[in-house]
């Protein structure tokens, strides 16, 4: 998810009782300035700015960044094509997250939100001053249009908002969303993350005089309400955003000390190594390293030695994020339908050897879908988690109750041989055997053969040794790396045998779990159920997570879900680090302290040149 996290993969939830009333609103309904799930909101009505920003940060200067691959559309709602990087800059959402609180957000386009005790609907009241770049007001009609088109045109968002059955204008500045189920406390807050686009612009005519079509890709610079506009671009190669002098929200408390760069320019590269060389040469200002070997040995150039480039390992962004990075077999393929086959494939991955030879022993093996957080299951189930699993006992493998999940341990020739022997035994139980140095199906005689589809050559250094190890037991596993557009299209249509993927989890998992592992998303193209999981027990656990009446019940349900997913061997878990590795030139400056749960880049950073 290199790691690219779609914002729809990071979800925030709320408890209405913990929100704070707007000072200016006395009448019913009682609109709230923000929402929080774990504790009372940190910031009170009338707060000046977030604590982690520099309110006096200078405006101006150019931020130069890089991106991998290419792009072919500026349409922010469509799932077709390759969306340009940075496209969140011209657009805004109803609410904005705080980076120094867990699961808290405050009004951006909306000045407040209200929902009844049974959470059967949610109403957002828009700010009167909110304007599009052409000066037209942001209206409830825009929000309704954005919601309807998001569900219509984007399978991911259709699933994400599937329990929101209607959006309608209910006041001059009010828009109300109606739900088909009650007590799903997450729904109001994930609606706060809805990207809002201008209805009148999309329904108008383009520069060529022809009507615009939001159901199609476009390279016409789109208009939004946000702080930046698309100023220049070369299709598929570069894109430049400029800070708008007339941005309506520049003085909002949630924006003070943010959006500081006068312009932000992205340059695309087809090769990650070439992209890094551009950073080394000073042609881009900031770099997030995803390659352990390069982090250990590739930063000996003069700019690092003399301090013009700074290296940092930052834990903040991962303090509240559970990671599952894995190779994902597509269980829609017959060869991966048997659980024992999937388990056997894990015995072919020698993490310890690869961690030593490829990553300088800097990674840790992942053993949970909520790895590195308090939500990860461990040991044997007990307490409320055991009770939850006991209620599903007839649908679960006995191993869920008797055998803690552990990954195979390799790292030396003897352990590797033992693991491969274990894999052969599991394959045999699943109806496969080695004949003539090939692993074949005992019924059909067909050899086991599959392809690992990758989006970047950088991943080959891990995937190729894995396939070589599998070849030792007669499995014809191959690696195929394709360009970004082909990879995206194939993944969206589930046209692969196995892929490499990262799921990022917040500390409050909710509706997105159905998109990741639910039966309803297994055959919904564009969903993130890449493994094709369709299991009634998992569906039941997902609902327990979503509708948990309190935090203790939620955590128990999450751990039970984690345990059942692990027992199903739906992935070959890979590895991760507990810190984010970044490097940046002295052309940019960050606040003295990072936000508790983020690096704040680029939102709260600024140009060093602008400060002079």
């Amino acid at each position: 998810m290199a790691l690219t996290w779609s914002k729809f993969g990071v979800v925030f939830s709320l408890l209405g009782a913990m929100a704070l009333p707007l000072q200016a609103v006395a009448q019913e309904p009682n609109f709230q300035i923000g929402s929080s799930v774990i504790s009372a909101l940190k910031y009170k009505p009338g707060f000046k700015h977030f604590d982690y920003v520099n309110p006096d940060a200078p405006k101006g200067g150019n931020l130069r960044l890089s991106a991998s691959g290419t792009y072919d559309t500026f349409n922010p709602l469509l799932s077709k094509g390759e969306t340009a990087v940075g496209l969140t800059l011209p657009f805004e959402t109803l609410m904005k997250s705080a980076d120094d609180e867990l699961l808290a957000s405050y009004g951006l386009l909306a000045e407040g939100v209200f929902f009844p005790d049974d959470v059967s609907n949610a109403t957002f009241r828009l700010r009167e001053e909110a304007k599009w770049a052409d000066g037209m007001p942001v209206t409830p009609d825009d929000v309704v249009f954005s919601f309807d088109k998001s569900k219509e045109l984007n399978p991911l968002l259709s699933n994400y908002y599937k329990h929101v059955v209607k959006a309608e204008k209910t006041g001059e500045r009010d828009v109300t969303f109606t739900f088909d189920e009650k007590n799903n406390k997450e729904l109001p807050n994930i609606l706060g993350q809805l990207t809002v686009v201008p209805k009148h612009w999309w329904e108008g005519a383009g520069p060529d005089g022809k009507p615009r079509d939001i159901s199609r890709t476009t390279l016409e610079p789109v208009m939004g309400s946000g702080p930046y506009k698309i100023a220049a671009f070369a299709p598929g190669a570069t894109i430049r955003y400029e800070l708008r002098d007339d941005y309506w929200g520049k003085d909002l408390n949630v924006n003070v000390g943010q959006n500081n760069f006068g312009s932000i320019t992205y340059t695309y590269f087809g090769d990650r190594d070439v992209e890094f060389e551009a950073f080394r040469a000073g042609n881009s200002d900031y770099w997030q390293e995803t390659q352990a070997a390069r982090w250990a040995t590739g930063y000996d150039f003069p700019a690092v030695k003399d301090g013009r480039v700074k290296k940092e390992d930052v834990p903040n962004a991962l303090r509240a994020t559970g990671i599952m990075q894995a190779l994902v077999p597509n269980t829609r393929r017959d060869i991966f339908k048997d659980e024992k086959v999937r388990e056997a494939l894990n015995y072919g991955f020698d993490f310890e050897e690869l961690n030593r030879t490829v990553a300088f022993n800097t990674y840790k093996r992942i053993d949970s879908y909520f790895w590195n957080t308090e939500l990860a299951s461990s040991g044997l189930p007990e307490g409320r988690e055991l009770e939850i699993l006991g209620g599903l006992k007839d649908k679960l493998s006995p191993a869920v109750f008797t055998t803690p999940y552990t990954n195979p341990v390799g790292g030396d020739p003897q352990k590797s041989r033992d693991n491969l022997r274990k894999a052969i035994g599991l394959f045999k139980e699943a109806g496969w055997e080695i004949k003539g140095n090939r692993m074949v199906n005992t019924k059909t005689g067909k050899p086991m053969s599959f392809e690992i589809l990758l989006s970047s050559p950088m991943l080959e250094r891990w995937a190729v040794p894995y396939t070589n190890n599998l070849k030792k037991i007669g499995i014809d596993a191959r690696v195929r790396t394709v360009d970004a557009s082909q990879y995206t299209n194939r993944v969206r249509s589930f046209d692969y045998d196995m892929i490499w993927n990262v799921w990022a989890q917040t500390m409050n998992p909710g509706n997105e779990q159905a998109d990741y592992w639910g039966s309803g998303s297994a055959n919904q193209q564009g969903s993130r159920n890449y493994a094709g999981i369709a299991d009634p027990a998992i569906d039941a656990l997902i609902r327990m997570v979503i509708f948990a009446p309190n935090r203790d019940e939620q955590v128990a349900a999450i751990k039970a879900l984690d345990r059942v997913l692990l027992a199903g061997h739906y992935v070959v878990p890979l590895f991760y680090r507990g810190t984010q590795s970044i490097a940046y030139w002295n052309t940019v400056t960050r606040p003295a302290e990072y936000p508790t749960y983020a690096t704040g880049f680029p939102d709260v950073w600024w140009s060093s040149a602008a400060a002079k």
Side-chain angles (χ1 to χ4, degrees):
M1 148 135 144
L3 176 58
T4 303
W5 296 347
S6 165
K7 65 184 176 182
F8 300 106
V10 180
V11 186
F12 299 89
S13 297
L14 66 149
L15 291 176
M18 295 179 180
L20 297 172
L22 282 169
Q23 290 177 322
V25 180
Q27 75 275 16
E28 295 295 326
N30 186 19
F31 284 90
Q32 317 292 318
I33 68 161
S35 56
S36 175
V37 65
I38 292 178
S39 60
L41 288 170
K42 173 181 178 179
Y43 297 97
K44 311 306 180 186
F47 72 94
K48 301 300 183 183
H49 55 76
F50 293 134
D51 289 345
Y52 52 84
V53 307
N54 174 9
D56 300 317
K59 306 287 185 182
N62 178 43
L63 174 64
R64 302 163 303 165
L65 299 174
S66 62
S68 300
T70 186
Y71 70 89
D72 60 12
T73 183
F74 295 141
N75 188 330
L77 301 186
L78 202 60
S79 63
K80 298 177 184 177
E82 292 293 325
T83 306
V85 66
L87 202 58
T88 56
L89 295 170
F91 294 100
E92 294 179 302
T93 53
L94 294 169
M95 310 288 282
K96 184 171 184 174
S97 299
D99 288 340
D100 58 348
E101 293 180 84
L102 279 176
L103 313 173
S105 58
Y106 297 83
L108 182 53
L109 282 174
E111 67 180 24
V113 58
F114 165 80
F115 49 92
D117 291 341
D118 65 0
V119 201
S120 56
N121 60 73
T123 299
F124 292 85
R125 176 160 290 174
L126 298 175
R127 295 185 187 272
E128 188 172 8
E129 65 269 33
K131 300 288 191 298
W132 298 108
D134 63 1
M136 295 287 287
V138 179
T139 69
D141 289 334
D142 294 317
V143 179
V144 172
F145 175 80
S146 301
F147 173 77
D148 289 344
K149 292 302 179 182
S150 293
K151 287 195 70 173
E152 175 189 341
L153 301 174
N154 192 312
L156 188 156
L157 295 177
S158 177
N159 194 53
Y160 196 53
Y161 294 127
K162 68 180 179 181
H163 293 296
V164 185
V165 295
K166 181 173 58 176
E168 58 185 332
K169 178 179 179 180
T170 51
E172 183 180 356
R173 291 186 286 122
D174 295 351
V175 57
T176 298
F177 298 89
T178 302
F179 311 145
D180 67 359
E181 57 187 9
K182 297 179 180 180
N183 299 311
N184 184 340
K185 299 180 179 68
E186 186 179 42
L187 289 177
N189 213 32
I190 65 174
L191 285 165
Q193 312 305 316
L194 176 72
T195 298
V196 181
V197 300
K199 179 181 179 182
H200 70 280
W201 190 88
W202 282 101
E203 291 185 341
D208 58 1
K210 297 180 180 179
R212 297 186 178 97
D213 185 353
I214 198 170
S215 68
R216 300 174 64 88
T217 59
T218 181
L219 284 176
E220 178 187 355
V222 289
M223 184 185 75
S225 63
Y228 288 86
K229 64 180 179 181
I230 298 175
F233 68 97
T238 62
I239 181 169
R240 183 170 182 264
Y241 300 92
E242 285 185 357
L243 187 64
R244 290 174 45 212
D245 292 332
D246 59 349
Y247 170 47
W248 73 273
K250 65 175 67 175
D251 296 322
L252 281 181
N253 51 8
V254 295
N255 286 332
V256 170
Q258 306 192 48
N259 308 313
N260 301 317
F261 292 99
S263 63
I264 300 176
T265 303
Y266 289 92
T267 300
Y268 278 80
F269 294 85
D271 183 274
R272 182 77 171 164
D273 291 332
V274 176
E275 189 178 348
F276 175 69
E277 289 304 315
F279 170 77
R280 273 178 46 121
N283 295 322
S284 62
D285 299 306
Y286 181 94
W287 179 259
Q288 180 175 333
E289 186 57 76
T290 57
Q291 190 174 317
R294 182 160 56 211
W295 189 244
T297 64
Y299 288 79
D300 57 352
F301 51 97
V304 174
K305 295 178 180 178
D306 63 26
R308 287 175 296 150
V309 168
K310 187 172 183 179
K311 289 177 61 186
E312 294 186 37
D313 278 312
V314 184
N316 303 46
L318 295 171
R319 284 175 174 164
T321 305
I323 296 293
M324 170 53 82
Q325 179 165 232
L327 290 169
V328 188
N330 185 355
T331 63
R332 302 169 188 87
R333 302 282 202 258
D334 287 341
I335 62 170
F336 298 131
K337 289 188 182 299
D338 194 301
E339 176 183 308
K340 293 187 181 299
V341 166
R342 303 193 299 268
E343 182 180 3
L345 291 172
N346 196 15
Y347 279 89
F349 187 78
D350 193 336
F351 163 73
E352 287 74 19
E353 176 68 11
L354 289 173
N355 193 33
R356 179 182 65 83
T357 58
V358 176
F360 293 82
N361 288 317
T362 58
Y363 287 122
K364 296 180 180 179
R365 188 83 192 267
I366 291 174
D367 58 1
S368 168
Y369 284 77
F370 304 89
W371 182 77
N372 206 35
T373 73
E374 66 175 11
L375 305 178
S377 62
S378 62
L380 292 174
E382 57 185 24
R384 180 57 185 148
E385 180 190 354
L386 180 58
E387 292 176 1
I388 290 172
L389 293 168
L392 299 168
K393 192 170 185 178
D394 60 333
K395 298 182 176 68
L396 300 175
S397 165
V400 170
F401 301 92
T402 62
T403 309
Y405 179 85
T406 57
N407 286 305
V409 175
D412 62 52
Q414 183 59 50
K415 290 178 181 177
S416 180
R417 286 191 294 269
D418 290 344
N419 286 336
L420 290 178
R421 276 195 291 267
K422 177 67 173 177
I424 291 170
L426 288 166
F427 279 124
K428 186 175 182 180
E429 292 179 42
W432 297 82
E433 62 181 356
I434 297 178
K435 281 189 175 181
N437 295 321
R438 294 195 304 172
M439 184 71 70
V440 299
N441 188 283
T442 56
K443 291 182 178 179
T444 66
K446 291 184 178 179
M448 177 167 285
S449 176
F450 63 89
E451 175 184 89
I452 303 175
L453 184 69
L454 301 178
S455 61
S456 169
M458 181 181 67
L459 304 178
E460 293 176 3
R461 68 192 65 203
W462 296 88
V464 170
Y466 176 53
T467 61
N468 290 339
N469 219 29
L470 292 178
K471 285 180 172 64
K472 295 176 182 177
I473 56 174
I475 298 173
D476 176 28
R478 307 167 308 282
V479 170
R480 185 180 181 192
T481 303
V482 297
D483 62 66
S485 295
Q486 184 178 352
Y487 184 82
T488 299
N489 290 332
R490 287 187 61 177
V491 169
R492 283 174 180 166
S493 60
F494 307 132
D495 181 20
Y496 53 84
D497 297 328
M498 181 181 284
I499 59 170
W500 180 306
N501 189 63
V502 179
W503 289 276
Q505 303 274 8
T506 72
M507 292 293 285
N508 192 62
N511 283 14
E512 78 288 347
Q513 302 303 303
D515 189 50
Y516 293 167
W517 342 107
S519 298
S521 63
N523 294 309
Q524 182 181 40
Q525 292 196 1
S527 82
R528 289 166 292 181
N529 190 343
Y530 303 121
I533 300 170
D535 184 295
I538 289 174
D539 293 338
L541 289 168
I542 290 171
R543 290 191 64 79
M544 290 182 196
V545 170
I546 293 172
F547 291 101
N550 55 60
R551 182 64 172 173
D552 289 343
E553 186 75 8
Q554 183 192 39
V555 171
I558 292 167
K559 289 185 175 182
L561 173 63
D562 184 35
R563 195 178 298 277
V564 173
L565 287 168
L566 290 169
H569 300 285
Y570 293 107
V571 300
V572 177
L574 295 175
F575 45 81
Y576 217 74
R577 298 177 66 195
T579 59
Q580 183 176 343
S581 300
I582 63 172
Y584 53 93
W585 284 81
N586 59 6
T587 50
V588 296
T589 303
R590 66 168 177 86
E593 299 292 335
Y594 285 113
T596 310
Y597 301 108
T599 63
F601 182 84
D603 297 7
V604 303
W605 294 45
W606 60 89
S607 166
S608 304
K612 295 178 180 178

